[in-house]
Amino acid sequence: MLQGSNILGHERPLVIRASFTTCVLVTVCLPLLGLITCVFISFVFHFDDSTGTHCQVPNYLPSISASISLSPECHIWRFCIGLHSAPRFLVAFTYFRFYKTRFASRFPESPLSCLNLAFSITENLGLLLLTYVSSSETYFVHKEGFVLFIFSSIIHMLITCRLWKAIKKYSLSPEDAKSYHWKVRFLLLNVSFCVFAGFFYVKHNMYCESGSYTLFALFEYLVVFSNMAFHLTAVWDFKSREVMIISSSEDKDF
């Protein structure tokens, strides 16, 4: 919603309001739609390039890294992640302020809030790194970005669940309890999918079995989807909040 007016030549600041729920949904949907689009284009138009590996055995699904390294897929993915990154940082700092207000000087929740912010930022930075440095350009940098993203996301989710366990303990709101329980479920799913993806990746590289890379790609998708679902629980955490953008302007007399 936009608010603004001009009274006697003096402009009031322009105020843009949006529900926090809308902000979270846009933040999550951008990479989701981008990923689905990239995988679809790779599967339909670049199937051989996106599924081929050094083993040269039949595979039926493109990995995420392969899907976002081809053209035009890489441009679509970079566009979506570029738009998604700023609101992602906003959500991270919103959570930090929420935790600091809630826990004040309590130990260990207060220092955990700072760690949570740090890993949320490194998770986003890892995503940006693996996005803008594709595996076909500099594989080592892309790989390190992926490792940073996965490691930071798991630690961030673990800390978040610990903080929300404390919140649920003293809260009477059913929304807080629901948010905590779903956070734990998505964390467990995410870790399980990471283990399966790692298992099939190693199995493919060691034995070059047909289908192993396909299963790796499938669980890789599930890792990303469960991560997105975890972040989507912010809808319950800040259901009644609003995001406000205010443009300040100086009054000038002529």
Side-chain angles (χ1 to χ4, degrees):
M1 182 174 70
L2 301 178
Q3 294 181 352
S5 62
N6 189 308
I7 300 178
L8 299 177
H10 297 283
E11 283 193 1
R12 287 184 179 179
L14 177 66
V15 180
I16 303 175
R17 294 174 180 266
S19 69
F20 203 89
T21 298
T22 302
C23 180
V24 171
L25 288 174
V26 171
T27 303
V28 173
C29 286
L30 277 169
L32 175 62
L33 294 175
L35 178 60
I36 292 173
T37 302
C38 290
V39 171
F40 176 78
I41 294 175
S42 297
F43 187 84
V44 174
F45 298 103
H46 305 134
F47 183 80
D48 292 336
D49 291 335
S50 61
T51 58
T53 68
H54 68 282
C55 288
Q56 297 182 345
V57 294
N59 292 301
Y60 308 102
L61 285 176
S63 69
I64 294 177
S65 295
S67 297
I68 65 175
S69 64
L70 301 169
S71 182
E73 294 93 303
C74 66
H75 305 297
I76 296 172
W77 179 247
R78 289 172 181 177
F79 175 77
C80 291
I81 295 302
L83 288 179
H84 145 279
S85 60
R88 182 77 172 269
F89 284 118
L90 171 65
V91 173
F93 280 99
T94 301
Y95 266 114
F96 176 68
R97 292 186 61 185
F98 171 76
Y99 294 142
K100 294 300 286 185
T101 302
R102 193 88 181 224
F103 298 118
S105 58
R106 278 179 52 182
F107 184 84
E109 286 81 7
S110 184
L112 281 176
S113 302
C114 299
L115 275 178
N116 192 59
L117 174 63
F119 281 107
S120 180
I121 290 173
T122 55
E123 177 188 355
N124 200 25
L125 291 176
L127 180 59
L128 289 169
L129 184 61
L130 70 90
T131 294
Y132 288 97
V133 181
S134 69
S135 58
S136 60
E137 294 171 341
T138 308
Y139 176 74
F140 175 78
V141 176
H142 176 85
K143 176 184 171 184
E144 292 304 309
F146 180 79
V147 171
L148 178 63
F149 168 73
I150 293 296
F151 175 77
S152 298
S153 67
I154 291 176
I155 300 300
H156 168 255
M157 286 189 281
L158 281 168
I159 296 174
T160 299
C161 288
R162 171 61 181 82
L163 292 171
W164 278 90
K165 182 179 181 181
I167 291 173
K168 181 185 75 72
K169 184 177 180 180
Y170 300 104
S171 175
L172 300 177
S173 170
E175 295 289 335
D176 290 342
K178 180 168 67 172
S179 178
Y180 167 70
H181 289 306
W182 278 107
K183 281 178 170 62
V184 172
R185 290 167 186 166
F186 290 134
L187 168 64
L188 294 175
L189 284 173
N190 187 265
V191 173
S192 300
F193 295 148
C194 283
V195 171
F196 280 113
F199 170 76
F200 285 112
Y201 181 79
V202 172
K203 188 178 180 182
H204 168 74
N205 285 316
M206 289 184 63
Y207 303 108
C208 286
E209 291 182 357
S210 176
S212 291
Y213 191 78
T214 301
L215 291 172
F216 159 70
L218 175 62
F219 282 106
E220 191 182 30
Y221 301 159
L222 294 175
V223 167
V224 174
F225 292 153
S226 58
N227 177 274
M228 293 177 183
F230 184 93
H231 288 292
L232 196 59
T233 60
V235 168
W236 294 319
D237 303 337
F238 303 106
K239 189 174 182 180
S240 60
R241 302 291 182 92
E242 281 189 335
V243 177
M244 294 179 60
I245 302 174
I246 303 175
S247 65
S248 60
S249 58
E250 297 181 357
D251 292 334
K252 296 182 179 180
D253 296 325
F254 294 96

